Tab-separated table of all heavy atoms in Angstrom:
chain	number	residue	atom	x	y	z
O	1	MET	N	61.468	-5.368	-59.483
O	1	MET	CA	60.785	-4.227	-59.086
O	1	MET	C	59.372	-4.500	-58.587
O	1	MET	O	59.069	-3.862	-57.553
O	1	MET	CB	60.596	-3.229	-60.389
O	1	MET	CG	60.036	-1.917	-60.132
O	1	MET	SD	61.051	-0.845	-59.108
O	1	MET	CE	62.029	-0.106	-60.349
O	2	LEU	N	58.769	-5.530	-59.105
O	2	LEU	CA	57.344	-5.870	-58.556
O	2	LEU	C	57.549	-6.485	-57.191
O	2	LEU	O	56.739	-6.155	-56.296
O	2	LEU	CB	56.822	-6.890	-59.556
O	2	LEU	CG	55.310	-7.270	-59.216
O	2	LEU	CD1	54.407	-6.060	-59.162
O	2	LEU	CD2	54.805	-8.292	-60.241
O	3	ILE	N	58.587	-7.231	-56.923
O	3	ILE	CA	58.857	-7.903	-55.612
O	3	ILE	C	59.121	-6.624	-54.593
O	3	ILE	O	58.605	-6.754	-53.470
O	3	ILE	CB	59.960	-8.897	-55.612
O	3	ILE	CG1	59.473	-10.056	-56.530
O	3	ILE	CG2	60.323	-9.307	-54.245
O	3	ILE	CD1	60.594	-11.030	-56.762
O	4	ALA	N	59.934	-5.799	-54.990
O	4	ALA	CA	60.245	-4.624	-54.086
O	4	ALA	C	58.997	-3.813	-53.805
O	4	ALA	O	58.817	-3.433	-52.592
O	4	ALA	CB	61.325	-3.698	-54.718
O	5	ALA	N	58.161	-3.548	-54.711
O	5	ALA	CA	56.815	-2.919	-54.525
O	5	ALA	C	55.957	-3.695	-53.537
O	5	ALA	O	55.329	-3.113	-52.684
O	5	ALA	CB	56.173	-2.611	-55.677
O	6	ALA	N	55.890	-5.032	-53.715
O	6	ALA	CA	55.116	-5.917	-52.862
O	6	ALA	C	55.686	-5.812	-51.427
O	6	ALA	O	54.903	-5.805	-50.411
O	6	ALA	CB	55.077	-7.280	-53.432
O	7	LEU	N	56.935	-5.992	-51.266
O	7	LEU	CA	57.593	-5.852	-49.950
O	7	LEU	C	57.376	-4.491	-49.327
O	7	LEU	O	57.074	-4.419	-48.055
O	7	LEU	CB	59.093	-6.144	-50.023
O	7	LEU	CG	59.479	-7.515	-50.331
O	7	LEU	CD1	60.942	-7.677	-50.546
O	7	LEU	CD2	59.021	-8.545	-49.197
O	8	ALA	N	57.437	-3.441	-50.090
O	8	ALA	CA	57.128	-2.122	-49.516
O	8	ALA	C	55.699	-2.018	-49.113
O	8	ALA	O	55.382	-1.432	-47.996
O	8	ALA	CB	57.531	-1.016	-50.566
O	9	ALA	N	54.764	-2.580	-49.866
O	9	ALA	CA	53.331	-2.530	-49.543
O	9	ALA	C	53.121	-3.338	-48.275
O	9	ALA	O	52.281	-2.910	-47.437
O	9	ALA	CB	52.565	-3.045	-50.681
O	10	ALA	N	53.757	-4.481	-48.147
O	10	ALA	CA	53.629	-5.310	-46.916
O	10	ALA	C	54.156	-4.627	-45.705
O	10	ALA	O	53.520	-4.584	-44.626
O	10	ALA	CB	54.211	-6.593	-47.098
O	11	ALA	N	55.292	-3.933	-45.897
O	11	ALA	CA	55.917	-3.113	-44.769
O	11	ALA	C	54.933	-1.999	-44.358
O	11	ALA	O	54.763	-1.774	-43.225
O	11	ALA	CB	57.233	-2.619	-45.116
O	12	TRP	N	54.474	-1.280	-45.309
O	12	TRP	CA	53.457	-0.182	-45.122
O	12	TRP	C	52.279	-0.693	-44.384
O	12	TRP	O	51.833	-0.085	-43.365
O	12	TRP	CB	53.097	0.396	-46.437
O	12	TRP	CG	52.117	1.625	-46.322
O	12	TRP	CD1	52.408	2.889	-45.981
O	12	TRP	CD2	50.735	1.508	-46.355
O	12	TRP	NE1	51.234	3.614	-45.929
O	12	TRP	CE2	50.203	2.729	-46.159
O	12	TRP	CE3	49.805	0.551	-46.675
O	12	TRP	CZ2	48.863	3.028	-46.195
O	12	TRP	CZ3	48.452	0.704	-46.709
O	12	TRP	CH2	48.077	2.108	-46.520
O	13	TRP	N	51.694	-1.799	-44.836
O	13	TRP	CA	50.501	-2.378	-44.162
O	13	TRP	C	50.821	-2.762	-42.724
O	13	TRP	O	50.063	-2.444	-41.828
O	13	TRP	CB	50.075	-3.580	-44.970
O	13	TRP	CG	49.022	-4.401	-44.247
O	13	TRP	CD1	47.591	-4.086	-44.269
O	13	TRP	CD2	49.161	-5.439	-43.374
O	13	TRP	NE1	47.015	-4.981	-43.517
O	13	TRP	CE2	47.857	-5.839	-42.956
O	13	TRP	CE3	50.190	-6.226	-42.999
O	13	TRP	CZ2	47.685	-6.885	-42.015
O	13	TRP	CZ3	50.058	-7.193	-42.010
O	13	TRP	CH2	48.748	-7.559	-41.545
Side-chain angles (χ1 to χ4, degrees):
M1 184 65 89
L2 187 58
I3 294 172
L7 288 174
W12 179 84
W13 172 84

